[in-house]
Amino acid sequence: MNKPVVIPDFRIGTGFDVHRLVEGRPLVLGGVVIPWDRGLLGHSDADVLLHALMDAILGALALGDIGHWFPPSDPTWKGASSLRLLETILHSQDLHGWEIRNVDLTLLAEKPRIAPYHTRIRESLAGVLGIPLGRVSLKATTTEGLGYTGRGEGMAAQAAVLLCRTPEEEGS
Ligand code: MG
């Protein structure tokens, strides 16, 4: 008798985030501190790359968004590293059995140049996600001087993620 074909359950998610650039804050991107004269403003460390990534993961499983998981009114997360927020999501019961197959991130920023930190950011992301470096893509673009990113008023990030779970691991 032929073995039944096991079809994995795949889910795709996208995320988008924006934070304002201000003086007197560290610039943290993908969990890596980037030397720069300004940083992103937010309740946590305002890591725009990780916020877009978290929303993509939550979106793939229809689990709401990070504003729902980590309300700005909750002092627990004030000044927190967004790596901690991401770990909270990854270790939650909602993610049980799900494997992240790959992530693809795009940073929209006029400055600074991210190229010198590109590999470190990817390694940071791969480490916290627990997946090989080759499954973590990071791209960066300017917006040609246009709009709030072009004027250097803020940074934006987009993320896409693919999650996979085999039927044997389904618990609900
Ligand atoms: Mg955010």
Side-chain angles (χ1 to χ4, degrees), residues 9-70:
D9 188 1
F10 287 103
R11 305 287 176 86
I12 190 168
T14 68
F16 177 74
D17 194 33
V18 176
H19 281 273
R20 185 183 293 273
L21 272 167
V22 296
E23 293 180 352
R25 293 266 301 182
L27 177 60
V28 186
L29 294 172
V32 175
V33 178
I34 310 290
W36 188 238
D37 59 359
R38 290 181 297 161
L40 295 169
L41 181 64
H43 184 59
S44 64
D45 63 2
D47 189 327
V48 72
L49 275 178
L50 287 185
H51 289 194
L53 174 59
M54 285 188 272
D55 264 355
I57 294 168
L58 294 174
L61 298 175
L63 293 172
D65 58 37
I66 58 169
H68 171 77
W69 278 60
F70 310 104

Side-chain angles (χ1 to χ4, degrees), residues 7 50 52 55-56 64 67 109 112 122 128 135 143 149:
I7 301 172
L50 287 185
D55 264 355
R122 287 179 62 224
V128 70
R135 292 175 183 255
T143 51
T149 51

Side-chain angles (χ1 to χ4, degrees), residues 36-150:
W36 188 238
D37 59 359
R38 290 181 297 161
L40 295 169
L41 181 64
H43 184 59
S44 64
D45 63 2
D47 189 327
V48 72
L49 275 178
L50 287 185
H51 289 194
L53 174 59
M54 285 188 272
D55 264 355
I57 294 168
L58 294 174
L61 298 175
L63 293 172
D65 58 37
I66 58 169
H68 171 77
W69 278 60
F70 310 104
S73 57
D74 185 348
T76 308
W77 308 109
K78 183 167 172 51
S81 165
S82 294
L83 289 170
R84 274 185 53 214
L85 277 57
L86 177 55
E87 285 171 346
T88 300
I89 291 172
L90 294 174
H91 296 149
S92 73
Q93 190 60 33
D94 292 310
L95 268 285
H96 180 75
W98 288 99
E99 177 192 346
I100 294 174
R101 299 306 294 264
N102 75 297
V103 301
D104 185 12
L105 304 176
T106 303
L107 179 72
L108 295 89
E110 204 66 24
K111 291 179 181 175
R113 283 186 68 245
I114 296 303
Y117 311 101
H118 185 260
T119 301
R120 271 179 60 198
I121 294 172
R122 287 179 62 224
E123 287 171 346
S124 169
L125 295 167
V128 70
L129 293 170
I131 61 177
L133 194 61
R135 292 175 183 255
V136 179
S137 163
L138 171 64
K139 310 185 301 295
T141 184
T142 70
T143 51
E144 301 285 342
L146 298 170
Y148 57 87
T149 51

